Amino acid sequence: MMQRILRFPGFIGRQAIRPFSYGFAVLLFTLRALNPHQQGVFRLNQGSYRTLVGQLIFSGIDALPAISLLAFASGLAVTSQIILTIQLIGDRTEVIDILVRVVVFELSTLLTAILLIGRSGSAITVDLGNMKLNRELEGVEMLGINLNHFLITPRVLGAGLAQAMLAIYFAFFAIVTGVFFLAFSHDPGYFNYLPEIAASLHPYNLVIFLVKNLLFGIIIGATACYHALQVERSRTELPQQTQRAIVNSIGIVFVLNAIFVLFMQPPIL
Amino acid sequence: MKTASTEQSSITAVNFSPTLTQGLKSPLQLNTSPGDIICFIGSKENILDTYLRALAGLHPIAEGDLFINQEPIESISPKQWSLLRQEIAYISKEAPLLSVLSGMNNVIFPALYHGIYDRDQALLKATELFAELGYQGDSDLLPAYLEPLERLQLALARALMLKPKVLVLNNPWHSLAPYEYSVLNTFLRHWSRNKVLIVSTDSLHFVRQYATKIYFIGPNKVTYFQSWTSLIESERVEVRDFLAQLSE
């Protein structure tokens, strides 16, 4: 009994350190995946290029119908509501500022990330995890192929590029849908919001937006790959690692997004 | 490090034993030369595989020395290993292909990765290898839809695309039907004429017909036999038991 009591502070300490050690492990894994000079050889060649293109098609192009639906629904529900509500209490500049902050910079990023995690992140974990279970990865290594170059880096980069492209697409589609809805249902004058919103986009904010989305996509891809490679021998590990990859990716993306908002975004007008 | 494609690769093991096999009293002495068909036989499959993997530089060594191309393996850098993997091909018992790629893409991707061929050349070379291997499956299908023999042939073709000089195979016959043995045996015999084949097997027919060196890995001793005749004439009880078991 006494021993159990004495062990308790250690248990608390270990649990407190766990998120940080996990974050550090994923960070190292990501940096390793993005380091092109592993083993002194630079290789993003024909073999890995095909994996990258495949990942871009799966995570980016194949996700367009789903992201279009989300953007359309968000345009109707969020963009139009923000315009209608905020214009009652603020002037036009404030409406545009809030619209850009909420829909363009936050909603697009987070909804796209959630879709990418659910669709591509889980697929990457299952895909690579199965390959590891079936010892296919070992077979690839036996051929002198660096797993990072051939399987990990293209997937991580592909997820990053897909997230950036999909977020831009989402933001554009959600704003246009909302404005068009108001213009046709209320007043054609709402069309004027479109050029004004475009003019209010500061290059600094756009760069931050792009960097943020690339980073989130890379983290989603890397977390998925990291958990896939944690699968050892048992098939039961695969669903366990997949759910960990999904939950942890969502957690990391939301925390990082909050950090971006706190430290990178300009003050409210 | 000798890695030029015109030179022969060699493996030399001196008083060698891999980890997990420390109970064995006599370590392995082995030296490969072109044309060798070296068979590892014994009742414990995992021990045989451990030896093969260690000889291919994939498993740690407990004692002794292992030289690949006259170079002690401790001094081989990760970059050199990448090149050596092309020269010394190891194919495990399951011979797993990448499940997400078609048969043909499975065969050509290592050559594309290493920049040995461009895509057209790789396709041409793969077709030549299919003919040599007697492959009759549909190479556009995913591996899951292929027969065990076809999967094995694709795994062999994938390794051979990298022009290896030593082929290390862990019991490639294990999932094949007996009537398929001859397809594989004919190819292996043809391929190993001026290269080295190291294989673990329970196919006594193959050992009898083709082996130039035989290593019996017993429960506590490694025994070398120069020929099939010396193997069957052995007075050692464990060898006789093993042969009797396989003959049943």
Side-chain angles (χ1 to χ4, degrees), chain A residues 30 54 104 122 128 132 138 149 207 262:
Chain A
T30 311
V104 177
S122 57
L128 281 181
K132 189 161 182 214
E138 193 183 277
H149 292 153
V207 170
L262 287 175

Side-chain angles (χ1 to χ4, degrees), chain A residues 176-198:
Chain A
V176 168
T177 307
V179 169
F180 267 62
F181 171 68
L182 290 179
F184 284 112
S185 63
H186 289 70
D187 180 359
Y190 281 108
F191 275 129
N192 294 332
Y193 269 102
L194 288 178
E196 287 175 42
I197 290 169

Side-chain angles (χ1 to χ4, degrees), chain A residues 1-9:
Chain A
M1 184 63 188
M2 194 61 193
Q3 273 191 337
R4 277 189 183 178
I5 293 168
L6 287 173
R7 276 188 208 143
F8 187 68

